[in-house]
Amino acid sequence: MSRLEAKKPPLFISEPLTKDKFSQSLSLLSAILRSCYGPAGRLKQLHNGVGGCVCTTSQSAALFSHLSVTHPVLRVLVASVQNYVSRFSDCGLFTAILCCSLIENFRSLNIAPCTIVKISKHLLSLCMDYLKSEACGCRVSVDFSSLETLLCLVRSVLTSKPACMLNKQEVDHLTTLILKAFMFTVPSHVEINAVLGKCIIVPVKGKRVVDSTVLPGLLIETPEIPSAKPLTGKRSCSNMIKVALFCVSMSGDLFSPEKGTITVHHRISLEMSELNQLLNVGKQLVNDEVGLVICQKVIHPSLKQYLKENHVIAVDRAGLSLVEPLSQMTGAKPIASIHMLSPSCYGSLKDVRVESFASKRFVHLIPNEVVVCSLILCNRSETAWDELKRACETAEHVLQFTIKEPLALLGGGCTETHLASYIRHKSCNLSTSSFKDIDCSRTQYQMVADAFCRALESVACSLNHDDGEILTDLVYGHCWFVPSGFPSVFNWSDLVSKCGCGINGSAENLSWRLLQGQFASPVIQPCPKEPSVKVADFLTLDCFAAKCSGLQVALETANLILDLSYVIEDQN
């Protein structure tokens, strides 16, 4: 007991946002995030100080899960963004960079935090009202009867992940596959409470990306089944294959001693008793004309042999992650006990085949109606495959949000600069009664509005990693990137070919300003509804739901941090 140290008192830090340590940590985190942003973002290699696996990424989900943030205030920021990313997958870096910029800009104002919070909430309501209005000039409608806009959405997700190391041909191939896989998951019969199906990603590493493909139904890896021999499962009278799905072990294992005491009579073998029970289950399955048995865990070899002799296909070690899609695809109810077996739990399949990809063998379950599909995803290295898997999952989530709310926002920094121009315009035209309602002066409102707009514009500036100039036009408020190496007095119209999102060309007689400036002009007219370029080839789009929510999360988190007066840290 003498070696035990006395408890240390908690550490109280007053006004944590005024400390140099916070400023340095915030600047460092912001610089790391900005350097990762966009298609030209720089990759980060992350690993712990004592070895272990190395993660190469520029995606927020992987970045935050591997990045060690020690400052207690910044932990709040990271936790908020991580929670957001877990729900929306997309726009994580946008949210984090915007939040850092808002904190930096708001801290520099000589205005009480409570006043900044009230003004910023009003600015957020202006943004959300505008983004959800028909007059919004930075959003486009998504027509599901045409694939062009959907392809743009998926392509925009893939091209923003440089660690996937994809060329144009590979991006086009994967874009088509992801959209095809998503269409498989959309129910063909529209119902009031329709549920989207599942897309299961099957890893094949060491192959070309263009070898990736999508198949209707589900693939379960089964190395023990020979590929040369076709599967002949028993069929019911309706020519369907009846399916039994078990989510309990069928290995014949005995109860764990921790679960209680078992009293066994003399000359009774628990192992044989358990095996006899399994074989009785097998007999009932055969009598019920089941043609396929799938077990989440392990099936006893004797039961496997018995089922095989009776033309029943047995697949074990399916894993917990496949139970839900298997149930959704076949209609089978997961059976949780070998002592209670009801015929109402069975499902059905159209066919079962053996498929081979690279050196792997799979059982291919083909459903009656496709609501589940398998995306066989290939890439050259494990690092690139991990990054590509995350990108494909993000693209699928973006499509799922888009089908619920068929809208998209213009990408390439154009939504940020357009929104900043709109807010500057609105803040100059607010009535005196609005300032009274917010309980602030006109000067205070315009100072906070300018800080808010500069934060939005700084996110667009983060897309540029090559020291070139960044412009915004004074008509549409879009973002334009100028190649590096040209003087500031150059005729900008000769240097830019299209805006960041691709909807506007530079043929129009537009006026410009440098984006890093402190002042901006209002939006004079909205973006053209019909772009002069072909949408499918050029338009960069962002997920509407994800970006709107990211804007809210960034501002609310910044307001929360701005209002912190004390940090109490346990030192034990």
Side-chain angles (χ1 to χ4, degrees):
M1 294 297 290
S2 59
R3 296 183 182 182
L4 292 177
E5 293 183 10
K7 276 194 173 185
K8 298 176 183 177
L11 179 65
F12 288 82
I13 305 172
S14 62
E15 302 298 334
L17 270 61
T18 62
K19 305 293 190 270
D20 289 340
K21 184 181 178 182
F22 173 74
S23 299
Q24 293 166 3
S25 300
L26 180 64
S27 298
L28 179 59
L29 178 63
S30 180
I32 291 171
L33 298 173
R34 289 177 191 279
S35 66
C36 295
Y37 194 46
R42 306 320 192 216
L43 305 184
K44 299 291 175 287
Q45 281 197 331
L46 305 165
H47 64 95
N48 58 37
V50 292
C53 63
V54 177
C55 174
T56 304
T57 187
S58 66
Q59 295 188 46
S60 58
L63 201 62
F64 284 127
S65 63
H66 289 82
L67 201 61
S68 177
V69 178
T70 56
H71 197 285
V73 176
L74 293 186
R75 279 196 213 137
V76 175
L77 191 157
V78 170
S80 178
V81 176
Q82 280 184 304
N83 182 55
Y84 160 83
V85 171
S86 69
R87 289 182 291 134
F88 290 95
S89 297
D90 199 24
C91 299
L93 286 177
F94 161 80
T95 305
I97 294 169
L98 179 58
C99 187
C100 290
S101 297
L102 288 169
I103 295 169
E104 288 172 339
N105 292 353
F106 288 165
R107 281 176 66 235
S108 65
L109 301 177
N110 190 21
I111 302 174
C114 59
T115 304
I116 294 175
V117 169
K118 285 188 286 187
I119 296 172
S120 63
K121 285 181 178 179
H122 186 262
L123 292 170
L124 178 62
S125 68
L126 288 178
C127 289
M128 299 312 296
D129 290 344
Y130 178 63
L131 290 172
K132 293 180 179 180
S133 70
E134 293 294 328
C136 180
C138 58
R139 78 175 197 186
V140 294
S141 297
V142 178
D143 183 5
F144 274 81
S145 63
S146 171
L147 296 180
E148 288 185 342
T149 315
L150 294 171
L151 288 168
C152 286
L153 269 170
V154 177
R155 187 182 289 110
S156 298
V157 172
L158 294 179
T159 54
S160 67
K161 318 297 182 192
C164 296
M165 294 181 281
L166 303 175
N167 58 37
K168 186 180 182 303
Q169 180 191 5
E170 291 168 341
V171 168
D172 291 342
H173 179 69
L174 279 178
T175 298
T176 306
L177 283 187
I178 291 168
L179 187 54
K180 183 180 178 182
F182 174 72
M183 290 304 182
F184 274 138
T185 66
V186 178
S188 55
H189 304 293
V190 180
E191 301 174 1
I192 296 175
N193 296 318
V195 178
L196 292 174
K198 301 280 184 183
C199 175
I200 307 300
I201 296 178
V202 180
V204 177
K205 299 167 187 176
K207 300 288 288 183
R208 300 179 308 160
V209 174
V210 291
D211 293 329
S212 303
T213 188
V214 63
L215 295 173
L218 202 57
L219 291 175
I220 302 177
E221 189 174 356
T222 49
E224 70 276 6
I225 295 181
S227 57
K229 191 175 180 181
L231 293 176
T232 54
K234 183 187 292 185
R235 292 181 179 269
S236 63
C237 53
S238 58
N239 202 32
M240 296 293 176
I241 298 176
K242 198 176 285 187
V243 180
L245 174 61
F246 288 87
C247 60
V248 65
S249 174
M250 303 179 77
S251 63
D253 290 339
L254 300 178
F255 292 103
S256 173
E258 290 85 5
K259 293 183 180 179
T261 304
I262 305 171
T263 302
V264 183
H265 292 287
H266 185 57
R267 293 180 180 177
I268 297 294
S269 169
L270 284 178
E271 291 84 356
M272 287 305 299
S273 176
E274 193 72 15
L275 180 57
N276 288 334
Q277 178 62 39
L278 288 172
L279 292 175
N280 288 334
V281 170
K283 290 175 184 176
Q284 185 175 343
L285 293 170
V286 171
N287 293 335
D288 290 341
E289 296 184 324
V290 171
L292 173 66
V293 174
I294 305 172
C295 184
Q296 173 193 327
K297 300 180 181 180
V298 179
I299 300 178
H300 194 284
S302 298
L303 178 57
K304 264 190 178 180
Q305 183 62 32
Y306 175 80
L307 293 172
K308 182 180 178 182
E309 289 170 356
N310 287 273
H311 309 290
V312 179
I313 303 166
V315 177
D316 61 354
R317 295 183 174 90
L320 178 62
S321 62
L322 292 185
V323 171
E324 184 185 347
L326 278 167
S327 179
Q328 188 177 13
M329 181 179 73
T330 63
K333 298 174 185 176
I335 301 167
S337 172
I338 60 171
H339 301 281
M340 296 175 63
L341 198 60
S342 169
S344 62
C345 294
Y346 302 144
S348 64
L349 285 171
K350 184 179 179 181
D351 201 3
V352 180
R353 299 174 188 167
V354 177
E355 302 279 0
S356 294
F357 295 97
S359 59
K360 296 184 176 183
R361 290 191 296 276
F362 301 89
V363 169
H364 183 196
L365 310 181
I366 303 171
N368 303 313
E369 182 181 344
V370 180
V371 289
V372 174
C373 66
S374 298
L375 174 60
I376 301 166
L377 191 60
C378 308
N379 211 339
R380 292 168 286 273
S381 67
E382 187 168 349
T383 298
W385 187 90
D386 290 340
E387 192 79 352
L388 186 57
K389 177 177 181 284
R390 283 190 287 265
C392 290
E393 289 171 342
T394 299
E396 184 190 5
H397 290 163
V398 165
L399 291 171
Q400 289 171 352
F401 283 116
T402 305
I403 202 172
K404 294 176 183 176
E405 195 168 13
L407 296 168
L409 289 173
L410 300 177
C414 288
T415 289
E416 289 87 339
T417 54
H418 179 91
L419 204 54
S421 296
Y422 173 79
I423 291 299
R424 291 184 195 275
H425 170 65
K426 289 291 288 186
S427 64
C428 292
N429 293 281
L430 279 182
S431 62
T432 308
S433 61
S434 298
F435 302 123
K436 289 182 179 178
D437 293 339
I438 304 169
D439 192 22
C440 70
S441 67
R442 180 181 290 273
T443 303
Q444 287 175 325
Y445 189 93
Q446 290 186 340
M447 287 175 66
V448 175
D450 181 67
F452 177 78
C453 293
R454 283 189 287 110
L456 281 171
E457 290 169 345
S458 73
V459 178
C461 291
S462 301
L463 288 167
N464 184 23
H465 301 277
D466 297 317
D467 298 324
E469 298 288 1
I470 307 167
L471 311 173
T472 183
D473 65 85
L474 304 184
V475 178
Y476 305 114
H478 278 222
C479 182
W480 305 73
F481 298 94
V482 180
S484 59
F486 292 95
S488 299
V489 294
F490 211 89
N491 183 10
W492 300 126
S493 298
D494 296 337
L495 297 178
V496 290
S497 58
K498 60 182 179 181
C499 66
C501 69
I503 205 170
N504 285 322
S506 61
E508 300 160 291
N509 187 23
L510 297 176
S511 300
W512 314 94
R513 75 170 178 89
L514 291 174
L515 195 59
Q516 292 90 338
Q518 295 295 311
F519 303 100
S521 299
V523 175
I524 298 171
Q525 55 180 293
C527 299
K529 290 186 178 179
E530 293 186 9
S532 57
V533 295
K534 187 180 177 184
V535 171
D537 290 340
F538 297 102
L539 205 58
T540 301
L541 296 176
D542 289 327
C543 176
F544 181 83
K547 200 148 203 176
C548 286
S549 296
L551 178 61
Q552 290 177 292
V553 169
L555 189 63
E556 289 168 0
T557 304
N559 284 343
L560 172 67
I561 290 173
L562 200 68
D563 212 24
L564 289 175
S565 297
Y566 285 93
V567 170
I568 304 172
E569 237 184 317
D570 186 2
Q571 298 187 91
N572 296 297

